[in-house]
Amino acid sequence: MSAENEQQEMLIVTGMSGAGRSTVANALEDLGWYVVDNLPPQMLRPLVELVSRAGTNLPKIAAVVDIRGGEFFSDFQDIVSALRKTGTVRVIFLEARDDILVRRFESVRRPHPLQGDGTLLDGISAERTRLQAVRESSDSVIDTSDLNIHQLATTITERFSDENTAGVQVTIMSFGFKYGLPTDVDHVADARFLPNPFWVPELRSHNGLDEQVRDFVLAQTGAREFIDLYAASLEPVLAGYQRENKRHATISIGCTGGKHRSVALAVELATLISTFPGVAVSIKHRDLGRE
């Protein structure tokens, strides 16, 4: 790789069929990696050269390479060795016990790619033999036998996320109950316990983004207590989402029309939650402007 692309990384995901390559690929995509699945080893170098033209727009590449490549897989070791001399390349090998692999294949009712006319165990044994040298030369070996898909995704997140990568992306959404409950949310709070600025003539034409409305809402009895306690109650929830690899969450606050109270409180809640470790926050005002 050229000096201008020295920050570019390549991660090669390989290993036993049924050991969780698809789960790992999905987790890497969530972390911002550019992932290519079922790539013949001979295409690794052209992939690096192609993506390098994008510069820093695609700094991290992950390629899933496995026995499905058939005869092309025989060149895997030589190709990886050559790539290691030109840049940052890591190989992660996924494996699992035979009984676990048999159970996983039986659950999806698919044959092993090397099974042929034999049994599942015949295919697994043949693949394990062919991949032995690849396993020994890998940078990291992960045994997924005792991991469910969520635990495996969490393992990948912990190993390959950048320090600045948010563990969970949170959308704070304001809305108006009279337009219906949002359907794509994880938590709903109700701001209708507060006086409605709509009935204050000088505030009616304004909205919760305006300073005078925000100050009015937050000055009401119970408003500050509510938003502080609500944010505090969400902190362990969002931390748990990160542990369980739930990467996205939407928290909604509603008022009657989605113009005053919910908007002001959504902005305030976003400010508080943005200080939580591993959390990135965005705000959406679903119904602002509908009146």
Side-chain angles (χ1 to χ4, degrees):
M1 295 180 189
S2 64
E4 64 180 354
N5 293 308
E6 61 183 2
Q7 298 300 317
Q8 195 170 59
E9 298 178 66
M10 166 166 273
L11 180 66
I12 300 174
V13 181
T14 189
M16 298 293 295
S17 301
R21 293 188 305 263
S22 295
T23 297
V24 170
N26 292 335
L28 290 169
E29 282 191 341
D30 288 342
L31 293 174
W33 290 68
Y34 181 79
V35 180
V36 181
D37 192 13
N38 193 19
L39 189 73
Q42 289 80 359
M43 294 299 296
L44 287 171
R45 188 186 295 277
L47 175 64
V48 173
E49 295 173 351
L50 176 64
V51 178
S52 67
R53 298 173 187 171
T56 58
N57 292 327
L58 292 171
K60 298 181 294 185
I61 316 166
V64 180
V65 180
D66 54 68
I67 208 69
R68 289 175 294 173
E71 62 182 24
F72 296 112
F73 195 81
S74 59
D75 296 329
F76 179 82
Q77 291 286 74
D78 293 338
I79 293 171
V80 171
S81 296
L83 286 174
R84 288 187 190 278
K85 298 176 182 178
T86 62
T88 302
V89 177
R90 288 180 289 174
V91 178
I92 177 175
F93 188 95
L94 304 176
E95 67 177 3
R97 299 191 305 270
D98 286 358
D99 61 310
I100 299 296
L101 294 176
V102 168
R103 187 186 312 162
R104 291 174 181 173
F105 272 103
E106 288 180 341
S107 68
V108 296
R109 300 182 181 181
R110 295 187 63 188
H112 189 280
L114 296 184
Q115 181 175 338
D117 295 329
T119 66
L120 269 174
L121 279 175
D122 292 335
I124 292 170
S125 177
E127 183 178 32
R128 204 177 291 281
T129 298
R130 290 185 60 179
L131 295 182
Q132 184 60 35
V134 175
R135 182 188 186 282
E136 293 175 354
S137 63
S138 296
D139 299 284
S140 179
V141 177
I142 299 178
D143 189 333
T144 69
S145 299
D146 300 317
L147 301 176
N148 61 37
I149 58 175
H150 304 295
Q151 292 169 331
L152 177 55
T154 298
T155 297
I156 296 302
T157 298
E158 292 173 348
R159 292 196 183 194
F160 297 104
S161 62
D162 295 330
E163 290 185 3
N164 296 325
T165 300
V168 58
Q169 301 283 337
V170 178
T171 300
I172 308 296
M173 178 192 296
S174 69
F175 72 96
F177 278 97
K178 73 177 185 179
Y179 300 114
L181 282 168
T183 58
D184 55 344
V185 298
D186 300 285
H187 302 269
V188 178
D190 188 350
R192 292 176 296 181
F193 70 96
L194 298 171
N196 192 345
F198 178 84
W199 301 113
V200 179
E202 60 268 27
L203 298 179
R204 179 175 299 181
S205 62
H206 295 279
N207 61 62
L209 297 177
D210 296 323
E211 183 178 0
Q212 57 267 53
V213 174
R214 183 194 65 211
D215 292 346
F216 175 88
V217 171
L218 294 177
Q220 301 306 308
T221 301
R224 174 52 63 184
E225 181 182 16
F226 163 74
I227 205 67
D228 288 344
L229 290 176
Y230 189 43
S233 72
L234 288 170
E235 185 167 13
V237 174
L238 296 177
Y241 283 171
Q242 294 181 63
R243 290 192 300 271
E244 292 300 311
N245 204 49
K246 179 176 170 59
R247 306 286 298 172
H248 303 276
T250 301
I251 300 167
S252 62
I253 300 179
C255 62
T256 302
K259 178 180 179 180
H260 296 106
R261 294 164 291 180
S262 63
V263 172
L265 291 182
V267 172
E268 192 68 15
L269 182 64
T271 299
L272 295 173
I273 288 180
S274 65
T275 65
F276 295 171
V279 174
V281 180
S282 61
I283 304 176
K284 178 180 180 180
H285 301 298
R286 192 193 72 175
D287 299 321
L288 188 60
R290 293 187 68 169
E291 290 188 346

